[in-house]
Amino acid sequence: RGAIEVKTAREVALASDVVFLCVTDSTVVEKLVRGPDGLKAGGTSGLIIADCSTANPVSTIALAAELAEVGVRFCDAPLGGTPEGAQAGQLSAMIGCDAATFATLEPICLTWAKTVRHIGEVGMGHKMKLINNFIAMGYGAIYAEALALGQKVGITPQIFDSVLRGSRMDCGFYQTFFRYVLEGDRNAHQFTLSNAAKDMRYLAALADDGRV
């Protein structure tokens, strides 16, 4: 479709008006930005870098300040959804940036996301994403504990589902979780424990910083 492959992030920056990142964590984001062949090395004034990773807001804010010195706008645009949603272009994006940058990013993000929300200034998108994932991990933990208890007292997953599905406690997260429980579909609810642990470490740091 006209894309070309290059060897370094620096070359991507040189050839781009907007760069989207979606990587594992802030350590990788920082390396891609600050490395000798990184985005900063190739960034020219006016470049926008949107980080779609689930990252540490402290790092995000620091990178934005550093890149602003060379005229590059760095913002957070973390994603909500599933791998299936990504393939269907049905993700959500939570964007932290100024109003002018959001006006540029929104129509681009809508080519691959169903909903795009302007959460606030730089760092706010990643803060909201961490809270979002905190809720998601809470759901997962409660479902697992409830299923384990049910098994001990004679409530099968099928009976469990017959009561919860369609009730006030049903939701999209429940449905993908239970596609694995009931059907054994290992692709129904893809999220690694290592990413969950990373997200909760970042959330704990956010809570500590907020004195919560």
Side-chain angles (χ1 to χ4, degrees):
R1 299 184 182 180
I4 59 169
E5 184 176 358
V6 295
K7 296 184 182 300
T8 67
R10 177 179 175 274
E11 293 173 86
V12 173
L14 283 168
S16 303
D17 299 312
V18 179
V19 175
F20 288 96
L21 303 178
C22 193
V23 294
T24 306
D25 56 28
S26 287
T27 302
V28 181
V29 174
E30 290 168 3
K31 182 179 178 181
L32 281 170
V33 171
R34 293 172 172 154
D37 281 315
L39 294 169
K40 184 180 179 181
T44 56
S45 183
L47 175 68
I48 298 173
I49 302 171
D51 180 19
C52 299
S53 318
T54 302
N56 184 342
V58 174
S59 172
T60 301
I61 293 166
L63 286 169
E66 180 181 327
L67 288 166
E69 295 175 359
V70 293
V72 174
R73 288 176 283 175
F74 185 86
C75 59
D76 37 334
L79 309 174
T82 64
E84 280 184 349
Q87 292 170 7
Q90 298 292 300
L91 295 177
S92 62
M94 309 161 219
I95 300 182
C97 63
D98 59 54
T101 304
F102 181 73
T104 300
L105 284 178
E106 183 180 24
I108 303 172
C109 292
L110 285 171
T111 66
W112 48 259
K114 183 179 180 181
T115 59
V116 179
R117 299 281 184 262
H118 187 200
I119 306 301
E121 62 189 16
V122 172
M124 296 300 287
H126 280 146
K127 291 176 183 178
M128 184 64 238
K129 173 61 173 171
L130 291 176
I131 293 170
N132 180 87
N133 281 22
F134 173 56
I135 295 169
M137 296 308 102
Y139 278 2
I142 286 174
Y143 297 155
E145 293 280 0
L147 285 163
L149 174 59
Q151 185 178 42
K152 290 289 187 182
V153 300
I155 302 293
T156 66
Q158 289 74 19
I159 292 172
F160 187 106
D161 182 66
S162 73
V163 173
L164 265 72
R165 190 171 297 269
S167 76
R168 290 176 60 204
M169 289 170 288
D170 194 356
C171 63
F173 190 100
Y174 174 88
Q175 291 170 20
T176 55
F177 192 98
F178 266 74
R179 263 174 52 205
Y180 173 70
V181 173
L182 298 175
E183 303 170 25
D185 181 357
R186 295 184 65 84
N187 295 318
H189 197 91
Q190 294 177 305
F191 195 72
T192 65
L193 288 174
S194 59
N195 270 339
K198 176 262 298 184
D199 291 352
M200 293 304 96
R201 286 198 306 274
Y202 287 167
L203 179 94
L206 179 67
D208 285 346
D209 187 59
R211 303 182 64 82
V212 176

